[in-house]
């Protein structure tokens, strides 16, 4: 019974949890509920992944209405993997959240914070699990609205501006998405993604379908912060509460990338995307622009959270580069980086959140000498930083290896050089932090800092350990990414 | 004990040592004791492996697959054995020396120093015993990262600037050039395992081979081939034991070791010789030898002089490899060991002078040998080895290189070797003359009271003796080098 | 002639495109945060029409089952847009709430003035 209804549980549990949280008075209780729900999620997701790996695609008719009329939850290797990723990050971050939220959010707002967080989680999981184009929009808005509210809860008043800006851009993105879906619906008469893919055969060249593709691509690219549609991201990540930043950086953009993959490969099919339209070329150029442009901007930031935010934009470039390379190895690299970057950025933002918890600032100058006061936290930060750089033995290297091999297979040897050249820029910005943290005298802000409480430290270390572990044992990550890539590209041949 | 267990021990001992050192930071003597015990234990294990290798065995471990095509695996072959012996034996001496130096100069942050040192040694052994390019690259990068805190140890602006150059050049070359070369090799050869005869032999056309060779040679930044040598002088800001580690024990040796390994096991000496893709390398290496010597001639700062001397000596190894005959490869392997032990002596001596008197310039050293006879005698032996005068170890490597070069009629190499020997003499002999035969100058009179602390003198005496002993009893390195080259 | 007919026949699309573009233009060109939200609302509304107008079938009746009629308008777009309207209202509400808070925090809702103030800090 439970096993058969796992797909529904994945979305309904956080939704119910959110409602419960909203009725509570005390932050601790709300935290308890959010913790229970978040910790349950990975088990649900793992159950689904096991079912998918054993028995193939799961089709779940929500509310008993059969697809294609009813809403179908459709789970294959790709989204089972994503579900696991999002829910694991959500679970790891909850123990961390308690102290961080107590510090950054006013007590009377804490239950609301957790309620909104659970809504956001629900929306993200929903986008991933559903097989219905319009349902995706609904979940996208659930998660987006929750995200705007989460960002607005940041202590700095500029958080409000960041949330407002994101609201405007996010809504435009979502509306573009709906336009695309509307055009597709008028051409195919269905909203079920699988059904839509079948009915698109033969009419791929019609102008409405191409226009739909353009709207969808731009809309989703806004959500995933593809350069140059990334302008909302740095402010949003900088001013959001630490816990929200860590969660969003690790999951939100990844889910948007998933959605893009879903449309490109399963709905439209790789042949129309890559052979008839210059999508690969456009993505290649934009990815490279992100990898270099955003990395260089990151070097000159004085606010560490903003630096990491720009680094995120650059790293998203690596993921989309995997799409642009468009062969199995390259796509594997993109998908595996999706997972790896979630781990890395989660760890980095959690470490920085712990710093904020202790010294109340994320200005680079205030971090001076912190290596002596918080050696474990900063050590964790540097380890995750090495992953961003792509040092062998970390997850970052695995992604880069696949991307590099993919580029070679495609005959783009110059891309290999660009790939590694851009990671050199990350050496500079991570190196800047290292120098300040270890080689400068202790700053006034950092004078009385000490290691954060264990509830914050352990989840951070867990993620950092994962970045090293999955740098060596890639059977889970790269293995699944490879299967996913193979499956996505099956459309071509 | 199985060969596999022994290899894993060589990595675990220094790694565990690093943890123990960190845990025993509360008590200096216990901490330094831990360092020494770890170094001794490591040396014993390496010697056990050496015994096996001399019996013709090649201990190896199973492979751990990271992603298909990338495996973590170790195998002991003769060249790695030489390197491991050099690194593990010099670590003991260097530890003794470090204790004297760090205490004698009241250096801050000694615990991180010893920890990073142990990690660097662990990664050095990882490099030495790696069975494929990926494993080598992994430990190569760890070595860079673990030595960065050592280079910036002093923490002032100078050290930070030096550290930046160090990190950016080493990481930059390895990522921009070496990594693409490795990816290309994986694509072309289908494997990254070190295989006698070369994995690229016969797999690619000459242009590709030449291009890959260039990527490898310049990408291995630790070998300091010009124009990527700037990091070595920049790293001179580090404390002397670190310079010794960089120049003798680990870092630059890891560079030239990788060069030899790549040429022998990835390209294949014969394949490379017949393709003619490596002809340019003789010129680049030769230029580096001469140019670095010329720069060294004009240095007054003793450590800078030694640094440029290292650049030139490293290029010898690359030069020897580029001659592409078995005899020259023997010379290259021997030179790695010989240069290590002689250069560490020289750095120990420079550090000894600094600890005893704070003198850093050559021109200040008039007559210092009367006040510091042990130090300066050791220095003289080391310097003679650099020039290649018997009875010092430096003679061995140069001899094989010269014979190899003459046999193949590689006259460019012959000229370079002879000319640079003269230049070496040109900058080392004046120091010896100045120190031994001039009357004590005002700096020496003012600052030099006597010899440096006991551990320092012990360490440099031991390495100086080693320099001579290696010339007198070269069986072990020679056997290994011959095994490597197959002659 | 054909072209003209096509243009006239698709008059609903022209209205939609006009609304869409003017909505977007307001969002981009106006510095007043309330006006931006108005533009956003206009933009979203144009999409409602995009869905609804093809759902209407000439001669079709509202989709209520009755033996007298056999041609119905497509009900699905209406349901979808009902959802979209709810989402749009929620977005507008949140946006307005943010504007209120911004007004409290910065004392203005003009973007230029806020950014000018931020640079002085």
């Amino acid at each position: 019974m439970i096993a058969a209804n796992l797909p529904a549980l994945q979305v309904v549990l956080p939704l119910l949890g959110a409602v419960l949280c909203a009725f509570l008075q005390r932050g601790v209780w709300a935290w308890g509920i959010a913790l229970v729900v978040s910790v349950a999620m990975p088990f649900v997701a793992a159950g689904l992944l096991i079912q998918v790996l054993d028995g193939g695609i799961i089709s779940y008719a929500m509310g008993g209405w059969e697809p294609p009329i009813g809403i179908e939850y459709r789970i294959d290797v790709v989204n089972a993997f994503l579900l696991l990723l999002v829910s694991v990050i959500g679970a790891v971050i909850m123990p961390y959240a308690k102290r961080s939220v107590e510090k950054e959010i006013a007590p009377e707002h804490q239950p609301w914070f957790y309620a909104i967080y659970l809504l956001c989680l629900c929306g993200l999981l929903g986008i991933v699990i559903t097989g219905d184009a319009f349902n995706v929009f609904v979940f996208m808005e659930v998660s987006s609205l929750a995200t705007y509210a989460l960002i607005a809860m940041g202590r700095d008043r500029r958080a409000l501006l960041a949330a407002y800006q994101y609201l405007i851009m996010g809504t435009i993105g979502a509306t573009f998405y709906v336009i695309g879906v509307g055009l597709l619906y008028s051409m195919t008469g269905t909203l079920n993604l699988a059904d839509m893919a079948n009915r698109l055969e033969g009419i791929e060249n019609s102008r409405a379908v191409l226009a739909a593709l353009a709207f969808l691509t731009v809309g989703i690219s806004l959500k995933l912060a593809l350069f140059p549609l990334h302008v909302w991201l740095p402010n949003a990540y900088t001013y959001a509460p630490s816990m929200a930043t860590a969660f969003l950086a690790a999951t939100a953009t990844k889910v948007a990338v998933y959605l893009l993959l879903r449309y490109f490969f399963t709905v439209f099919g790789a042949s129309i995307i890559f052979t008839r339209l210059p999508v690969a070329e456009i993505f290649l150029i934009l990815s490279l622009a992100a990898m270099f442009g955003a990395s260089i901007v990151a070097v000159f930031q004085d606010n560490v959270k903003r630096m990491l935010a720009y680094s995120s934009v650059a790293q998203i470039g690596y993921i989309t580069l995997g799409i642009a390379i468009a062969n199995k190895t390259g796509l594997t690299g993109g998908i595996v980086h999706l997972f790896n970057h979630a781990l890395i950025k989660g760890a980095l933002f959690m470490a920085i959140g712990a710093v904020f918890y202790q010294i109340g600032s994320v200005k680079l100058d205030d971090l001076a000498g912190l290596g002596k006061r918080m050696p474990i936290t900063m050590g964790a930060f540097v380890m995750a930083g090495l992953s961003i750089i792509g040092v062998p033995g970390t997850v970052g290297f695995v992604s880069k290896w696949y991307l590099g091999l993919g580029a070679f297979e495609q005959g783009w040897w110059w891309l290999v050089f660009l790939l590694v050249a851009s990671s050199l820029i990350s050496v500079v910005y991570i190196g800047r932090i290292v120098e300040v943290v270890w080689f400068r005298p202790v700053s006034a802000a950092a004078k009385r800092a000490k290691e954060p409480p264990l509830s914050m430290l352990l989840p951070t270390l867990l993620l950092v350990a994962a970045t090293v572990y999955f740098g060596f044992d890639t059977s889970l990550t790269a293995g699944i990414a490879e299967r996913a890539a193979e499956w996505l590209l099956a459309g071509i041949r | 004990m199985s060969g596999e267990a022994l290899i894993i021990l060589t990595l675990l001992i220094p790694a565990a040592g690093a943890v123990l050192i960190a845990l025993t930071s509360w008590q200096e003597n216990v901490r330094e004791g831990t360092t020494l015990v770890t170094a001794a234990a490591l040396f014993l294990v390496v010697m056990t492996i050496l015994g096996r290798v001399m019996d013709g065995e090649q201990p190896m471990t199973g492979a751990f697959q990271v992603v298909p095509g990338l495996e973590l695996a170790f195998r002991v072959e003769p060249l790695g054995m030489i390197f491991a012996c050099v690194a593990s034996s010099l670590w003991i001496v260097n530890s003794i020396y470090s204790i004297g130096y760090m205490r004698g100069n009241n250096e801050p942050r000694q615990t991180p120093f010893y920890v990073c040192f142990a990690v660097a040694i662990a990664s050095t052994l990882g490099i030495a015993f790696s069975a494929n390019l990926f494993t080598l690259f992994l430990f190569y990068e760890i070595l860079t990262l673990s030595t960065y805190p050592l280079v910036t140890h002093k923490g002032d602006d100078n050290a930070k600037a030096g550290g930046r150059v160090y990190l950016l050049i080493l990481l930059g070359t390895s990522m921009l050039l070496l990594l693409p070369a490795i990816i290309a090799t994986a694509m072309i050869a289908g494997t990254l395992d070190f295989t006698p005869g070369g994995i690229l032999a016969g797999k690619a056309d000459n242009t590709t081979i030449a291009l890959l060779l260039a990527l490898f040679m310049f990408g291995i930044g630790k070998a300091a081939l010009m124009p990527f040598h700037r990091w070595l002088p920049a790293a001179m800001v580090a404390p002397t034991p670190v310079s010794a580690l960089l120049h003798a024990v680990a870092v630059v040796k890891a560079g030239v070791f990788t060069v030899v390994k790549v040429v022998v096991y990835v390209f294949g000496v014969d394949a490379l010789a017949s393709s003619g893709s490596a002809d340019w390398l003789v010129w680049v290496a030769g230029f580096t030898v001469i140019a670095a010597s010329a720069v060294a001639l004009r240095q007054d700062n003793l450590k800078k002089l030694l640094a440029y001397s290292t650049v030139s000596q490293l290029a010898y190894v690359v030069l020897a490899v580029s001659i592409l005959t078995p005899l020259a490869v023997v010379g290259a392997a021997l030179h790695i060991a010989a240069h290590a032990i002689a250069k560490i002596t020289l750095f120990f001596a420079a550090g000894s002078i600094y600890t005893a008197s704070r003198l850093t310039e050559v021109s200040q050293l008039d007559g210092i040998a009367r006040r510091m006879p042990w130090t300066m005698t050791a220095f003289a032996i080391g310097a003679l080895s650099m020039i290649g005068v018997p009875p010092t170890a430096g003679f061995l490597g140069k001899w094989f290189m010269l014979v190899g070069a003459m046999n193949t009629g590689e006259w460019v190499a012959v000229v370079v070797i002879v000319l640079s020997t003269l230049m070496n003499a040109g900058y080392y002999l004046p120091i010896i003359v100045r120190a031994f035969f001039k009357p004590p100058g005002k700096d020496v009179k003012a600052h030099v009271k006597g010899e440096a602390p006991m551990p320092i003198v012990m360490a440099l005496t031991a390495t100086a003796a080693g320099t001579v002993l290696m010339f007198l009893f070269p069986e072990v390195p020679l056997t290994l080098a011959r095994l490597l080259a197959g002659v | 002639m054909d072209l003209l007919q096509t243009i006239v026949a698709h008059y609903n699309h022209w209205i939609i495109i006009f609304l869409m573009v003017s909505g977007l233009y307001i969002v981009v060109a106006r510095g007043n945060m309330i006006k931006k939200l108005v533009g956003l609302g206009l933009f979203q509304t144009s999409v409602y029409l995009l869905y609804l107008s093809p759902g209407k079938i000439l001669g079709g009746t509202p989709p209520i089952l009755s033996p007298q009629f056999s041609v119905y308008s497509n009900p699905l777009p209406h349901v979808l847009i009902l959802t979209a309207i709810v989402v749009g209202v929620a977005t507008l509400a949140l946006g307005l709430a943010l504007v209120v808070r911004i007004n409290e925090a910065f004392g203005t809702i003009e973007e230029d003035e806020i950014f000018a103030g931020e640079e002085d800090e």
Side-chain angles (χ1 to χ4, degrees):
Chain A
M1 180 60 194
I2 289 185
N5 285 317
L6 280 181
L9 286 180
Q10 187 88 74
V11 178
V12 171
L13 276 183
L15 194 61
L16 288 179
V19 175
L20 269 179
C21 284
F23 282 112
L24 291 171
Q25 299 292 321
R26 296 200 32 210
V28 183
W29 291 102
W31 174 74
I33 289 173
L35 179 74
V36 171
V37 171
S38 303
V39 170
M41 286 295 102
F43 291 99
V44 177
L48 286 172
L49 182 62
I50 292 168
Q51 284 181 20
V52 169
L53 289 177
D54 284 349
I57 295 173
I58 302 173
S59 171
Y60 179 86
M62 193 67 185
W65 297 87
E66 288 304 317
I69 308 277
I71 290 170
E72 180 193 19
Y73 281 9
R74 198 178 170 84
I75 302 143
D76 53 41
V77 187
V78 189
N79 55 359
F81 184 52
L82 247 286
L83 287 175
L84 189 65
L85 172 69
V86 172
S87 47
V88 163
I89 298 283
V92 170
I93 217 161
M94 272 322 290
Y96 175 93
K98 184 165 179 290
R99 302 296 287 266
S100 178
V101 168
E102 278 171 5
K103 170 101 178 177
E104 293 179 32
I105 310 286
E108 67 273 21
H109 291 152
Q110 284 174 19
W112 288 110
F113 181 86
Y114 289 114
I116 296 169
Y117 157 74
L118 283 177
L119 275 180
C120 185
L121 182 66
C122 163
L124 293 174
L125 291 170
I127 297 175
V128 177
I129 203 168
T130 187
D132 184 281
F134 202 82
N135 202 219
V136 168
F137 166 69
V138 174
F139 279 123
M140 190 193 268
E141 284 303 67
V142 169
S143 74
S144 300
L145 288 171
T147 307
Y148 310 144
L150 280 182
I151 294 167
M153 286 183 132
R155 299 197 90 172
D156 197 302
R157 62 177 185 164
R158 280 168 292 186
L160 296 168
L161 280 184
Y164 179 84
Q165 276 174 339
Y166 186 21
L167 181 133
I168 298 285
M169 295 201 65
T171 306
I172 293 176
T175 311
F176 266 58
Y177 174 83
V178 190
I179 296 172
V181 172
L183 290 172
L184 281 183
Y185 175 65
S186 63
M187 291 307 289
T188 61
T190 180
L191 288 168
N192 184 294
L193 290 174
D195 204 26
M196 199 183 270
N198 290 332
R199 296 199 194 180
L200 272 175
E201 251 168 61
I203 53 166
E204 296 100 334
N205 281 336
S206 84
R207 212 174 290 163
V209 173
L210 294 183
L213 175 64
F215 275 113
L216 286 171
T217 309
V218 173
I220 300 172
S221 297
L222 251 167
K223 287 281 170 192
L224 70 81
L226 178 68
F227 189 91
L229 302 174
H230 68 280
V231 284
W232 57 269
L233 187 142
N235 277 330
Y237 283 11
T238 309
Y239 299 120
S242 306
M243 179 268 182
T245 308
F247 176 71
L248 293 173
T251 56
T253 47
K254 313 298 175 288
V255 168
V257 173
Y258 156 79
L259 196 58
L260 194 69
L261 287 173
R262 174 66 60 189
Y263 271 99
F264 273 11
F265 292 101
T266 53
V267 176
F268 287 96
S271 60
I272 171 172
I273 301 287
F274 294 120
T275 48
R276 262 176 253 162
L277 293 174
V279 173
E281 285 78 358
I282 294 171
F283 267 71
L284 183 67
I285 292 166
L286 295 183
S287 306
L288 286 175
M291 284 156 57
F292 282 93
S295 297
I296 290 172
V297 175
V299 171
F300 296 102
Q301 298 305 317
D302 289 322
N303 179 317
V304 179
K305 268 175 105 176
R306 188 180 286 272
M307 183 188 280
L308 294 178
Y310 275 108
S311 153
S312 272
V313 177
Q315 297 290 318
I316 289 163
Y318 285 104
I319 301 175
T320 48
L321 186 70
I323 300 177
I325 291 174
N327 55 25
K328 193 184 131 201
T329 325
L331 195 56
T332 305
I335 296 174
V336 86
H337 196 56
L338 194 137
F339 178 85
N340 292 343
H341 181 242
L343 292 181
I344 303 170
K345 264 295 143 52
L348 284 173
F349 274 118
M350 279 162 86
I352 272 307
V355 168
F356 186 80
Y357 180 80
Q358 288 296 357
I359 69 172
S361 164
V362 290
K363 286 262 161 51
L364 195 56
D365 289 334
D366 291 334
L367 261 61
L370 211 54
K372 297 177 193 93
R373 295 283 182 273
M374 307 172 69
I376 302 180
T377 312
M378 293 324 291
F381 185 88
V382 171
M383 277 309 295
L386 292 180
S387 239
I388 284 278
I389 298 169
V391 173
T394 61
V395 285
F397 179 75
V398 176
S399 321
K400 249 162 235 175
W401 177 262
Y402 273 109
L403 288 173
L405 273 188
F408 251 108
E409 271 175 28
Q410 202 76 323
W412 296 343
W413 54 268
W414 47 269
L415 186 57
V416 181
F417 289 97
L418 293 180
L419 198 65
V420 287
S422 72
S423 48
L424 264 191
I425 307 176
S426 53
V427 176
V428 178
Y429 60 76
I430 297 292
R432 250 188 96 196
I433 299 179
V434 169
E435 275 190 5
V436 169
V437 166
W438 262 283
F439 298 122
R440 284 230 209 126
V442 181
S443 73
K447 270 267 156 50
R448 252 167 301 171
K450 53 181 195 302
E451 292 291 352
L454 277 184
S455 68
M456 296 178 81
L457 197 54
L458 287 181
T460 314
L461 290 179
L462 186 69
L463 280 190
V464 171
T467 63
V468 176
Y469 176 79
F470 289 115
F472 284 107
D473 182 6
T474 60
S475 50
L476 178 69
T477 54
I480 292 181
E482 210 170 322
R483 278 184 67 170
E486 205 168 300
W487 190 81
L488 286 174
L489 284 172
I492 291 189
R493 288 165 250 290
Chain B
M1 209 185 284
S2 73
E4 181 161 14
L6 284 172
I7 294 177
I8 291 172
L9 264 185
T10 57
L11 298 176
L12 281 186
I13 289 176
V19 177
L20 282 177
I21 292 166
L23 292 178
T24 51
S25 57
W26 43 272
Q27 223 295 329
E28 281 189 2
N29 290 331
V30 181
R31 180 187 66 199
E32 263 93 304
T34 316
T35 306
L36 286 176
V37 170
T38 317
L42 177 68
F43 183 66
L44 280 180
V45 176
V46 172
M47 284 304 122
T48 319
I49 300 180
L50 176 66
R52 304 270 176 97
V53 174
M54 295 298 279
D55 290 342
E57 217 184 302
Q58 290 213 344
M60 58 192 288
T61 65
F64 174 84
Q65 181 176 306
V66 175
V67 301
L70 286 188
E71 286 171 341
L72 206 58
F74 299 97
R75 197 164 62 101
V76 183
E77 45 74 58
L79 184 65
M81 198 63 240
I82 297 183
F83 186 31
C85 288
V86 169
S88 63
S89 57
L90 291 186
W91 188 30
I92 302 183
V93 200
N94 204 347
S95 303
I96 298 173
Y97 182 85
S98 303
I99 294 168
Y101 184 91
M102 299 303 276
R103 291 189 179 183
N105 290 306
N106 285 325
E107 294 276 347
R109 294 189 296 281
Q110 295 194 18
T111 306
F113 173 86
Y114 287 112
V115 171
C116 289
F117 222 105
V119 175
I121 295 291
S123 42
T124 307
L125 284 156
I127 294 174
F129 290 154
S130 54
N132 57 44
L133 264 176
F134 167 69
T135 314
L136 192 147
F137 186 62
L138 170 70
F139 285 102
Y140 183 94
E141 297 292 56
I142 299 179
L143 182 60
T144 308
L145 296 170
S146 62
T147 45
Y148 167 72
L150 292 174
V151 171
T152 50
H153 181 82
K154 284 201 176 129
D156 53 19
D157 284 342
N158 236 342
K160 269 190 275 183
R164 257 180 232 147
V165 175
Y166 181 81
L167 199 62
L168 274 181
I169 293 191
L170 286 188
L171 277 184
T173 50
S174 74
M175 286 198 164
L176 273 178
L177 307 171
L178 186 55
L179 183 57
I182 294 176
I183 294 178
T185 308
M187 289 297 292
I188 295 168
T191 175
L192 290 174
D193 294 341
F194 292 126
T195 317
I199 49 175
L200 281 171
K203 292 258 175 67
D205 57 88
N206 287 347
T207 334
T208 317
I209 292 279
L211 192 71
L212 275 179
L213 185 70
L215 285 180
F216 271 114
M217 289 305 125
F218 291 114
I220 303 168
K222 290 195 171 91
L225 210 55
M226 278 184 181
F228 297 115
H229 65 288
R230 284 285 319 151
W231 62 271
L232 248 183
M236 280 297 104
V237 292
T240 306
V242 176
S243 304
L245 173 84
L246 297 179
H247 288 254
V249 185
V251 180
V252 299
K253 288 302 169 308
V256 285
F257 168 79
T258 311
V259 166
V260 179
K261 198 123 174 170
V262 163
V263 168
V264 174
Y265 294 116
V266 173
F267 289 97
V269 174
D270 295 334
L272 211 50
S274 59
S275 76
S277 315
D279 297 345
W280 57 272
L281 193 54
V282 178
W283 291 93
V284 174
F287 174 77
T288 307
V289 171
I290 300 293
S293 297
V295 178
L297 267 174
R298 303 202 340 265
Q299 298 296 325
D300 190 36
N301 181 300
L302 186 56
K303 278 176 86 178
K304 278 249 167 72
L305 183 147
L306 292 180
Y308 277 101
S309 154
T310 302
V311 176
S312 128
Q313 297 281 334
L314 291 176
Y316 269 133
V317 178
V318 182
L319 182 71
V321 170
S322 67
I323 296 170
L324 297 174
T325 88
L327 270 186
V329 173
V330 172
L334 285 178
H335 197 69
I336 290 180
H339 174 251
I341 193 155
K343 195 36 86 43
I344 202 171
T345 312
L346 290 172
F347 271 106
F348 282 177
S352 169
I353 296 170
Y354 176 76
T355 310
S357 65
R358 307 277 144 187
L359 294 183
T360 54
E361 308 300 307
V362 172
S363 51
Q364 299 169 323
L365 300 182
D366 288 357
I368 195 171
R370 295 182 201 177
R371 306 263 170 117
M372 305 181 73
W374 290 92
T375 300
M376 290 321 290
T377 311
F379 185 91
I381 293 174
L384 290 179
S385 180
M386 286 295 130
I387 304 166
V389 184
T392 56
F395 173 74
L396 292 173
K398 268 197 186 166
W399 175 258
F400 278 99
M401 283 181 215
L402 261 181
V403 174
M406 284 185 179
N407 280 353
T408 46
E410 191 64 77
W411 295 110
V412 182
V414 176
V415 170
V416 166
I417 294 174
V418 172
L419 187 62
S420 74
T421 303
L422 291 176
M423 293 171 85
N424 289 347
Y427 56 84
Y428 277 121
L429 288 182
I431 305 176
I432 300 177
V433 170
R434 191 186 281 274
F436 280 89
F437 302 117
K438 282 204 178 171
K442 66 172 180 3
D443 292 310
V444 168
K445 276 185 184 151
H447 296 289
V448 185
K449 306 283 178 292
E451 283 287 358
M454 198 45 192
I456 294 186
V457 178
M458 268 168 57
L460 61 86
T461 314
T463 53
T467 312
V468 178
L469 286 177
M470 191 181 147
F471 172 79
L472 296 174
F473 307 103
E475 283 84 7
V476 173
L478 200 55
T479 316
L480 289 172
R482 282 182 190 280
L483 272 177
L484 166 77
V487 287
Chain C
M1 200 52 203
D2 270 357
L3 184 69
L4 193 64
Q5 224 154 28
T6 324
I7 291 173
V8 174
H10 288 86
Y11 71 95
N12 56 337
H13 285 149
W14 298 113
I15 296 173
I16 293 166
I17 290 171
F18 173 74
L19 286 175
M20 200 177 273
V21 173
S22 43
L24 263 185
Y25 175 78
I26 296 171
V27 173
V28 175
R30 292 291 136 179
N32 183 300
M33 291 183 163
I34 301 273
K35 287 184 182 165
K36 265 181 187 295
L37 286 177
V38 171
L40 202 62
L42 205 54
F43 179 50
Q44 283 180 308
T45 311
S46 74
V47 181
Y48 306 159
L49 293 178
L50 177 75
Y51 271 73
L52 293 176
S53 64
K56 166 74 182 166
I57 297 171
L58 287 179
T61 64
I64 300 166
L65 274 183
S66 157
Q68 291 150 309
F69 302 107
S70 58
V71 182
Y72 302 107
S73 289
N74 187 348
L76 195 57
H78 295 80
V79 182
L80 295 179
I81 290 316
L82 211 54
T83 319
I85 290 173
V86 173
V87 170
V89 169
T91 311
L92 194 63
L94 183 65
L96 288 172
L98 282 174
V99 173
V100 170
R101 292 274 310 276
I102 288 173
N103 192 31
E104 285 168 8
F106 292 88
T108 172
I109 53 167
E110 293 292 331
E111 273 191 341
D112 316 349
E113 293 173 19
I114 291 174
F115 289 129
E118 285 300 301
E119 270 158 31
D120 295 342
E121 276 179 18

